[in-house]
Amino acid sequence: MEFEAQVEVTHLPGVLDPQGTTVERALPALGFTNVSHVRIGKSIRLVVDAPDAATARTQVEEMCNRILANPVIEAFTVTVHERERA
Amino acid sequence: MEFEAQVEVTHLPGVLDPQGTTVERALPALGFTNVSHVRIGKSIRLVVDAPDAATARTQVEEMCNRILANPVIEAFTVTVHERERA
């Protein structure tokens, strides 16, 4: 069975986010003066072939810890749902 | 009123995603042979001060078109919800 996983990788609180800071500094010049707390992370989508959703989730979490994210400075959230067939 | 927006920026279909391809090629060496369709995009979170959710969403969509995403090669989805006060 195929499952579609979405992973959001964010910086841990306290970790500098230069990309977010740069965007936040640029926004007022474009007229957006009401924006704060800009944080830019990664969004990863992938398809896992697994017997059930729990197994798929466990595998994706292991992938996050080993290659998709850096657990020292990043947090991740995993969402898994069954893949819709075309 | 403060609204928290989450923006997912993805590559448009057909646009090359070298980062995703690299991860997909690396996964089998780590034992993950059941993964496909790896696509890596951006996840942006920000706080907007706006009178209502619809205004907040419109502003975030304008930011996406002007600075957060490149509409020529990227698609984006915006989610807005009221910010919980600490």
Side-chain angles (χ1 to χ4, degrees):
Chain A
M1 231 152 104
E2 290 197 325
F3 294 91
E4 202 170 306
Q6 203 245 321
V7 180
E8 185 185 6
V9 180
T10 54
H11 293 85
L12 284 174
V15 174
L16 287 177
D17 173 14
Q19 210 182 348
T21 308
T22 305
V23 168
E24 192 166 329
R25 277 199 206 134
L27 284 168
L30 296 171
F32 301 104
T33 52
N34 54 343
V35 181
S36 61
H37 299 83
V38 181
R39 302 284 279 176
I40 300 186
K42 278 184 293 185
S43 169
I44 303 162
R45 287 184 179 267
L46 47 83
V47 173
V48 194
D49 194 13
D52 54 71
T55 311
R57 168 181 290 276
T58 308
Q59 288 213 322
V60 174
E61 285 172 353
E62 203 191 323
M63 281 176 231
C64 285
N65 278 312
R66 293 184 64 191
I67 181 173
L68 301 178
N70 177 352
V72 177
I73 57 166
E74 290 172 330
F76 56 83
T77 52
V78 176
T79 319
V80 171
H81 59 88
E82 204 179 323
R83 193 183 184 199
E84 284 160 35
R85 299 272 171 180
Chain B
M1 233 153 101
E2 291 198 322
F3 294 91
E4 203 172 304
Q6 203 243 321
V7 181
E8 185 185 5
V9 180
T10 54
H11 293 84
L12 284 175
V15 174
L16 287 177
D17 173 14
Q19 211 182 347
T21 308
T22 304
V23 167
E24 193 166 326
R25 277 199 204 133
L27 284 169
L30 296 171
F32 301 103
T33 51
N34 54 342
V35 182
S36 61
H37 299 83
V38 181
R39 301 284 279 176
I40 301 186
K42 278 184 292 185
S43 169
I44 304 161
R45 286 184 178 269
L46 46 84
V47 173
V48 193
D49 194 12
D52 55 70
T55 310
R57 167 181 291 275
T58 307
Q59 288 213 322
V60 175
E61 285 172 352
E62 203 190 325
M63 281 175 230
C64 285
N65 278 312
R66 291 184 64 191
I67 180 173
L68 301 179
N70 176 352
V72 178
I73 55 165
E74 290 172 330
F76 55 84
T77 52
V78 176
T79 319
V80 171
H81 58 91
E82 204 179 324
R83 193 184 185 199
E84 285 158 35
R85 301 269 172 183

